[in-house]
Amino acid sequence: EAQVTQNPRYLITVTGKKLTVTCSQNMNHEYMSWYRQDPGLGLRQIYYSMNVEVTDKGDVPEGYKVSRKEKRNFPLILESPSPNQTSLYFCASTGTQSLKLFFGSGTQLSVL
Amino acid sequence: KNEVEQSPQNLTAQEGEFITINCSYSVGISALHWLQQHPGGGIVSLFMLSSGKKKHGRLIATINIQEKHSSLHITASHPRDSAVYICAVGKGSNYQLIWGAGTKLIIKP
């Protein structure tokens, strides 16, 4: 089954404790992206990747890091989380063939 | 002014009603996406279109490139259609999307 697998689904942490949210897709997609969703603001892009070892900043990259060492994986790293990073996070992927978007199930992050 | 505007922001209707959600944009686009987000978070792609009209079951999406406007219609609406519907446009490259704020739809039995 074609899918984007995102983990964990829920995460509560404290300020400053490094964390990683994993994202993996099984569709051989070139393009992967991370979004955050906050009430009233809609989806905002954090980082995206056009292919392996190619990443770029989206609209709200501050406080986040990503890596794309393998085509299927695109982890989101928060080196020193702060309360303003409390949000719902989504990973998404798409390929050059169909351009249809596939989303992970989301990660609800709370930074205390 | 946002580059992608959705209307209405909120819509409550009775089961069986015909629903229309609108999306207007101000930029040149390569394609337009309609997505659905149910309570609990998951986002599902409904349509991607660059011209004309697409239909899937009770859902119909249309786009008018000249008027920079798209509509999502739901026929014979059902409570399970209750969700947030999001419009997003691909600007230049279809990988870079501009997102609408979403329309929250509630269908009452």
Side-chain angles (χ1 to χ4, degrees):
Chain A
E1 180 191 352
Q3 62 183 2
V4 176
T5 303
Q6 188 180 332
N7 284 297
R9 183 71 179 89
Y10 300 95
L11 181 57
I12 301 174
T13 190
V14 295
T15 300
K17 186 175 181 182
K18 181 180 178 181
L19 66 91
T20 300
V21 184
T22 63
C23 176
S24 179
Q25 49 91 7
N26 63 0
M27 296 164 280
N28 201 37
H29 283 168
E30 291 79 15
Y31 180 81
M32 298 184 75
S33 183
W34 276 103
Y35 297 93
R36 62 177 288 173
Q37 187 179 39
D38 301 290
L41 293 179
L43 284 159
R44 294 182 292 168
Q45 190 178 53
I46 303 170
Y47 269 94
Y48 64 95
S49 169
M50 300 291 285
N51 215 321
V52 176
E53 301 292 1
V54 180
T55 63
D56 210 345
K57 296 177 181 179
D59 299 317
V60 288
E62 293 78 21
Y64 304 95
K65 285 176 58 177
V66 293
S67 68
R68 190 90 182 273
K69 297 177 182 175
E70 306 164 284
K71 198 171 186 180
R72 63 183 293 122
N73 295 323
F74 190 45
L76 179 70
I77 304 155
L78 284 71
E79 295 269 2
S80 182
S82 62
N84 64 10
Q85 293 178 298
T86 293
S87 187
L88 179 59
Y89 291 86
F90 287 99
C91 177
S93 75
T94 189
T96 53
Q97 298 295 322
S98 74
L99 299 178
K100 179 180 176 179
L101 288 164
F102 291 82
F103 281 82
S105 54
T107 296
Q108 181 64 60
L109 172 65
S110 295
V111 183
L112 305 177
Chain B
K1 188 179 188 302
N2 293 333
E3 292 177 294
V4 178
E5 297 270 2
Q6 281 187 241
S7 63
Q9 279 189 311
N10 295 283
L11 178 57
T12 300
Q14 290 297 132
E15 183 174 356
E17 287 188 37
F18 181 82
I19 303 299
T20 296
I21 299 170
N22 298 298
C23 178
S24 296
Y25 52 92
S26 58
V27 297
I29 68 168
S30 52
L32 184 143
H33 298 257
W34 281 104
L35 305 106
Q36 179 192 57
Q37 185 174 22
H38 276 289
I43 301 175
V44 175
S45 175
L46 297 174
F47 296 103
M48 186 186 73
L49 62 165
S50 54
S51 64
K53 177 179 175 179
K54 287 190 176 180
K55 185 176 189 290
H56 186 260
R58 296 180 293 105
L59 300 176
I60 304 164
T62 64
I63 188 168
N64 184 318
I65 298 295
Q66 287 72 30
E67 294 187 3
K68 296 186 175 179
H69 181 267
S70 175
S71 293
L72 177 68
H73 305 286
I74 305 174
T75 62
S77 60
H78 190 275
R80 64 175 175 266
D81 297 325
S82 297
V84 175
Y85 292 85
I86 305 169
C87 167
V89 301
K91 182 180 171 182
S93 160
N94 201 42
Y95 297 137
Q96 295 307 101
L97 299 174
I98 306 172
W99 296 83
T103 294
K104 184 175 182 180
L105 174 66
I106 297 173
I107 304 296
K108 293 186 173 181

